[in-house]
Amino acid sequence: MQANDIVDVVSIEQEANQFPWSTKNFQDCLKANNDAWVFVDNSDDIIAYTIVQKVVDETHLLNICVKPSAQGKGLGREVLNHVIDFAQSISSILIVLEVRSSNQRAQQLYSQAGFNEMSVRKNYYPATDGREDAVLMGMDLSFY
Ligand SMILES: CC(C)(COP(=O)(O)OP(=O)(O)OC[C@H]1O[C@@H](n2cnc3c(N)ncnc32)[C@H](O)[C@@H]1OP(=O)(O)O)[C@@H](O)C(=O)NCCC(=O)NCCS
């Protein structure tokens, strides 16, 4: 992901999420030199993206998103596999992420890939009617 991808990325982010990241959130991630990728279709249009942060020997998955019209076709799994390959390539021992407790779709994707629930952060996210818990999930890479 480059700075000039952010307009398209934010447009997908807004379409796909009820509480989307802002343009500044993405700009800050790139400025902080987090690793970020976009995935494009045959016409070179962005259809998915992900951002991770390396924290000592862990990889934190900060954002993963597939454009709604491209969802449900295996792309989310491909993007997640890319993150797992990357984390292994930099010798991370753990990948961690937070996901809304209501986001069953993403939790299903992570569980199928081998992530386990580690803990719950109560009232972590804003929600339409108050706050919502975050489920903290992790994938142990130390055996790979
Ligand atoms: C979560 C997300 C990345 C999944 O991407 P996707 O391309 O739709 O997922 P895939 O087609 O690769 O499906 C992979 C797995 O996800 C789960 N999944 C996908 N669609 C689902 C649905 N409608 N209901 C339940 N599980 C679903 C399934 O486990 C699926 O595996 P299966 O097809 O073998 O059952 C996508 O829905 C998305 O971008 N959502 C909005 C942003 C978001 O919630 N990001 C995660 C924040 S933590």
Side-chain angles (χ1 to χ4, degrees):
M1 187 188 297
Q2 308 289 329
N4 59 6
D5 293 323
I6 290 179
V7 170
D8 292 341
V9 164
V10 169
S11 150
I12 296 172
E13 175 77 7
Q14 289 175 345
E15 200 191 333
N17 292 283
Q18 211 179 354
F19 294 90
W21 279 21
S22 66
T23 299
K24 186 167 184 309
N25 291 146
F26 287 100
Q27 288 169 336
D28 288 347
C29 277
L30 294 188
K31 271 193 211 135
N33 281 325
N34 291 325
D35 290 283
W37 297 268
V38 293
F39 299 76
V40 298
D41 64 12
N42 292 338
S43 313
D44 228 20
D45 291 327
I46 296 173
I47 48 172
Y49 51 86
T50 188
I51 302 182
V52 304
Q53 180 181 27
K54 188 175 185 235
V55 181
V56 197
D57 53 5
E58 297 177 1
T59 293
H60 292 200
L61 177 52
L62 302 182
N63 198 329
I64 179 168
C65 186
V66 174
K67 188 179 167 124
S69 59
Q71 288 179 8
K73 300 172 188 166
L75 185 54
R77 178 170 299 120
E78 244 180 80
V79 175
L80 186 60
N81 284 339
H82 171 80
V83 169
I84 296 167
D85 288 347
F86 171 76
Q88 285 174 330
S89 76
I90 60 167
S91 303
S92 287
I93 58 165
L94 183 70
I95 306 174
V96 287
L97 61 87
E98 280 133 10
V99 55
R100 285 177 180 270
S101 56
S102 64
N103 194 347
Q104 291 300 320
R105 191 170 184 160
Q107 287 175 46
Q108 181 84 7
L109 168 68
Y110 302 138
S111 299
Q112 279 188 358
F115 283 75
N116 295 303
E117 187 174 326
M118 297 167 75
S119 63
V120 172
R121 295 195 208 282
K122 297 300 282 179
N123 301 320
Y124 186 74
Y125 293 112
T128 34
D129 49 356
R131 309 281 302 176
E132 179 176 1
D133 296 345
V135 180
L136 186 71
M137 298 184 80
M139 183 176 187
D140 185 351
L141 296 177
S142 57
F143 299 113
Y144 286 83

